[in-house]
Amino acid sequence: MKFAATFFLLMSAASVQAQLYKSTGPDGKVTYSDTPPAAGKVIPQKAVAGEGSNSGDGLPYELALAVKNHPVTLYSSEKCIPCDDGRKLLNERGIPFSEKTVKSNEDIAALHKISKDDQVPVLTIGSNKESTFSPTAWGTALTAAGYPESNRLPKTYRNAAPVAAAPGAASPGKSAAPAANTTSTAGNGDALPAAGNAPPGFRF
């Protein structure tokens, strides 16, 4: 009886430290196994601490790998329904992402370095860019980047708070210095300044 218990413990320890192999078959199906497959693309992984183990920042291996190779960033603005819909899709699917807000002229210039489109939301998945919100297009792009199709985020995971698209841009609560002599005199033919700080033609 004592020998059987010892044997069971030894076998359990061996299985905990087993090498994990990720293979992609000819049909594109991904399989995880503790033994090397006979065929297909093999990606050996570090030893894992049993089934359901997380890696990286507490993320499952497949999700952590997608985040490393194809990080996701959402460019959004206030009072933007498509932005809200895009954010909801990412959260429901369990996609770790960073969010950059477009509010100032500097933010708009930063967005133009990413996308020539003057419309938000814009989603970047690694080097891939998706302009405007499309559930089908966004979902297909996320799947192609290796993100799981179902939510596998740990319940304690939280995305970072949104930041301005332009590094060093003024915070939303900081008021800009008032422009001098902006009051228009009736009948003098001077045009009133544009409302807000967005240049003409930019669409939120």
Side-chain angles (χ1 to χ4, degrees):
M1 184 69 179
K2 182 178 180 181
F3 173 80
T6 303
F7 179 78
F8 176 78
L9 290 175
L10 289 174
M11 290 300 294
S12 298
S15 63
V16 167
Q17 297 298 327
Q19 180 78 15
L20 180 66
Y21 295 89
K22 177 184 177 183
S23 62
T24 304
D27 58 350
K29 183 177 181 181
V30 177
T31 304
Y32 292 91
S33 174
D34 58 354
T35 58
K41 184 179 179 181
V42 181
I43 305 176
Q45 306 300 333
K46 295 180 180 179
V48 295
E51 184 179 1
S53 174
N54 292 337
S55 60
D57 296 328
L59 301 178
Y61 171 76
E62 184 179 2
L63 184 56
L65 187 63
V67 170
K68 178 182 178 181
N69 295 332
H70 306 282
V72 175
T73 301
L74 172 66
Y75 290 82
S76 66
S77 66
E78 294 179 337
K79 299 179 181 179
C80 168
I81 295 177
C83 300
D84 296 338
D85 292 338
R87 189 183 304 107
K88 181 180 179 182
L89 181 150
L90 296 174
N91 286 328
E92 289 182 348
R93 182 159 169 174
I95 305 297
F97 68 97
S98 59
E99 184 171 354
K100 297 187 177 182
T101 57
V102 180
K103 298 180 180 180
S104 67
N105 289 330
E106 292 80 7
D107 294 334
I108 294 170
L111 177 63
H112 281 175
K113 294 180 180 180
I114 303 299
S115 172
K116 299 302 181 183
D117 198 341
D118 284 339
Q119 188 173 2
V120 288
V122 171
L123 185 74
T124 62
I125 307 171
S127 59
N128 184 30
K129 301 175 185 64
E130 296 291 334
S131 298
T132 71
F133 174 63
S134 169
T136 301
W138 285 27
T140 300
L142 289 166
T143 300
Y147 284 93
E149 296 189 6
S150 59
N151 191 335
R152 299 184 186 177
L153 278 179
K155 294 182 178 180
T156 56
Y157 185 91
R158 296 292 183 273
N159 286 311
V163 297
S171 60
K174 186 177 180 180
S175 301
N181 203 16
T182 58
T183 304
S184 174
T185 304
N188 65 0
D190 294 339
L192 289 171
N197 53 14
F202 189 83
R203 295 173 293 167
F204 288 102

